[in-house]
Amino acid sequence: MMDPRTRALHALARLRKTEADQAQAALAQALADERTASGTVDACRARIESERVAATGDITLAEAFRDWLPIGREAVERAQEALNAARRASGQARAAMIRANAALKAAQAIVDKRQEEENEIRARREQAEIDDLSRRNSMTLT
């Protein structure tokens, strides 16, 4: 049977484990969002290039491309801003995960130390009982 302090320490370790799991999930989502944002930037840039290639050699298409190009560049700029925000978010999520893992490790170290102390106390009690029984037996035999 665990004493109240040990139960509380185990509860703390479980809480820290839950927090670490949540932080890891948040980081995974942030990284996925970052990949998506990066793909959007690439797609916007690829569209500009494809429109430029399509406009090559045709005056009408070249004029339409020239008129559309500021819109395409604005789309790239917006996508790049979204990518930068996603990178900041994933950096924050990474830092939160590192903090959560450190807290979990610290809580687990405390639980392990407490368990070790309890094992030592139990071993000393058992040895004391064995010594006591041994003394009683030797007194009865003499």
Side-chain angles (χ1 to χ4, degrees):
M1 187 165 125
M2 280 190 241
D3 71 347
R5 180 177 175 218
T6 303
R7 273 196 308 275
L9 288 173
H10 280 281
L12 174 64
R14 283 191 307 274
L15 174 66
R16 295 296 184 225
K17 174 71 172 127
T18 299
E19 290 171 348
D21 291 345
Q22 290 171 343
Q24 185 175 3
L27 176 59
Q29 182 60 53
L31 291 173
D33 293 346
E34 186 177 336
R35 282 189 300 277
T36 299
S38 179
T40 301
V41 169
D42 293 343
C44 288
R45 287 181 178 155
R47 180 158 184 225
I48 289 174
E49 182 58 23
S50 107
E51 293 290 336
R52 185 192 64 74
V53 168
T56 302
D58 185 332
I59 283 257
T60 308
L61 289 176
E63 287 177 14
F65 174 71
R66 187 180 60 239
D67 292 342
W68 172 83
L69 185 57
I71 295 169
R73 286 183 177 156
E74 186 178 309
V76 168
E77 188 176 308
R78 281 193 314 271
Q80 187 63 50
E81 288 171 3
L83 175 58
N84 292 341
R87 285 179 176 158
R88 284 190 301 275
S90 65
Q92 291 169 347
R94 188 174 289 106
M97 188 185 80
I98 289 168
R99 286 190 305 271
N101 282 338
L104 171 60
K105 186 176 179 180
Q108 191 59 51
I110 293 170
V111 167
D112 292 346
K113 179 145 177 63
R114 179 64 179 169
Q115 190 66 48
E116 189 178 300
E117 290 170 357
E118 286 181 355
N119 290 343
E120 287 175 12
I121 290 169
R122 189 175 305 110
R124 275 189 248 127
R125 283 184 188 148
E126 289 172 0
Q127 187 60 48
E129 288 177 21
I130 291 170
D131 291 347
D132 187 42
L133 288 173
S134 177
R135 276 192 299 275
R136 286 184 194 171
N137 283 341
S138 67
M139 289 168 80
T140 344
L141 294 176
T142 54

